[in-house]
Amino acid sequence: MRWTERQRRMLAAMGVRLFEPRRVMAHDDEGVDEPETVEAAPRIDTAPPRATAARRPGRIAPSPPAAAVAPAGDVASMDWPALQAAVAGCRACGLCESRTQTVFGVGNAHAHLMIVGEAPGEQEDLQGEPFVGQAGKLLDNMLRAIGLTRAEAPPAQQVFIANTLKCRPPRNRNPEPSETARCAPYLNRQIELVQPRVVLAMGRFAAQALLATDEPIGKLRSRVHQRRGAPVVVTYHPAYLLRTLADKARAWDDLCLAATLLEQAR
Ligand code: URA
């Protein structure tokens, strides 16, 4: 993309370098550990080819009213409206007792880039949309810097944003493994239906849940993983970046990696 002078100055002020599309080469580096502080070359993990999704959904509509609880096994065959209804009515774990509402996700249901965060916080629980607090503002700015948005736009520009958990954990505590497991079928089905060209996992919980690993984020970022045929890039959570400015440049590198993959997938 072309940068305006104003954008260049802003990025320079943030201490981040400009995104210039480049080719990401696959190479086999199984078992190579990257220390948190080492800038590693992007790498692509190999995996079986992408499964064909049953059907691609249209733009998302507002969540329908709560429906009866769906058995977990059924989720895997749901279409988009059925999935929205199942999430809205979910009582699969204790989080349903304290939530104001479920947070399904926002954006384009055909998005080329799908972003996965951790769980709704207080504002998200109240407003029913992911990443609407301070962390969300940073996320929106980061997306804008690579020409993407959550606002209405074609699928190449409008992302879809979802969380690992659809309900807010009380007092924003960390998700329990059992909650992540109960919620996983919903996220899995969202990814299957959206069929993103790239998934960006933000933060440790999203990355570890998506990739079924307990590796620390410093070892997961900076490379391309494959998950059920979709490339996954891992980066820091925007809330962490608000507290740790020093890692913003690394997050920018991760974003550039995701943007490069999107360019290659065009
Ligand atoms: N943090 C997340 O991971 N998701 C949100 O929706 C809000 C904050």
Side-chain angles (χ1 to χ4, degrees):
M1 73 178 289
R2 296 188 67 78
W3 300 97
T4 64
E5 199 43 47
R6 185 171 164 278
Q7 286 173 321
R8 286 175 186 278
R9 281 203 305 275
M10 185 195 81
L11 292 171
M14 284 170 64
V16 295
R17 62 175 177 75
L18 293 182
F19 164 64
E20 307 291 357
R22 65 202 150 104
R23 281 212 71 74
V24 177
M25 306 299 292
H27 64 273
D28 181 6
D29 56 358
E30 273 292 292
V32 175
D33 281 349
E34 299 138 337
E36 184 91 32
T37 50
V38 172
E39 298 276 330
R43 72 185 197 190
I44 297 183
D45 297 339
T46 52
R50 173 193 289 264
T52 47
R55 145 183 132 67
R56 289 177 67 79
R59 296 269 172 87
I60 71 163
S63 293
V69 181
D74 291 353
V75 173
S77 59
M78 284 177 178
D79 66 10
W80 198 255
L83 189 60
Q84 284 182 300
V87 168
C90 182
R91 303 192 65 79
C93 77
L95 295 181
C96 66
E97 303 296 343
S98 53
R99 74 184 179 214
T100 304
Q101 60 191 307
T102 56
V103 179
F104 183 78
V106 68
N108 195 309
H110 292 298
H112 292 187
L113 179 66
M114 181 161 171
I115 294 171
V116 180
E118 181 179 319
E122 184 181 18
Q123 282 308 311
E124 291 77 18
D125 172 72
L126 291 172
Q127 297 183 40
E129 180 171 331
F131 283 105
V132 291
Q134 284 307 312
K137 290 200 177 85
L138 176 58
L139 173 59
D140 287 342
N141 288 340
M142 291 164 73
L143 291 175
R144 194 175 310 123
I146 54 168
L148 301 179
T149 177
R150 75 169 76 193
E152 191 74 18
Q157 280 83 47
Q158 186 185 12
V159 300
F160 186 77
I161 307 175
N163 279 313
T164 310
L165 295 190
K166 310 305 183 204
C167 297
R168 181 193 182 201
R171 297 173 304 284
N172 296 349
R173 66 158 168 72
N174 289 340
E176 300 281 356
S178 62
E179 293 160 355
T180 306
R182 290 287 172 93
C183 226
Y186 297 132
L187 180 60
N188 288 340
R189 189 62 184 152
Q190 283 179 308
I191 297 174
E192 277 173 3
L193 289 171
V194 174
Q195 283 198 286
R197 296 176 186 193
V198 179
V199 176
L200 181 65
M202 304 201 92
R204 176 169 70 92
F205 281 97
Q208 292 182 342
L210 279 175
L211 300 172
T213 178
D214 55 7
E215 272 200 284
I217 194 159
K219 292 189 177 174
L220 293 171
R221 59 168 292 278
S222 213
R223 57 182 159 130
V224 183
H225 306 264
Q226 291 288 335
R227 179 189 183 274
R228 301 184 185 184
V232 178
V233 174
V234 171
T235 193
Y236 296 110
H237 194 283
Y240 165 82
L241 293 174
L242 289 173
R243 300 189 304 267
T244 319
L245 300 184
D247 278 332
K248 267 193 177 172
R250 289 201 182 102
W252 176 246
D253 285 341
D254 299 332
L255 214 56
C256 289
L257 174 57
T260 300
L261 293 169
L262 286 171
E263 290 258 336
Q264 288 180 3
R266 276 218 262 204

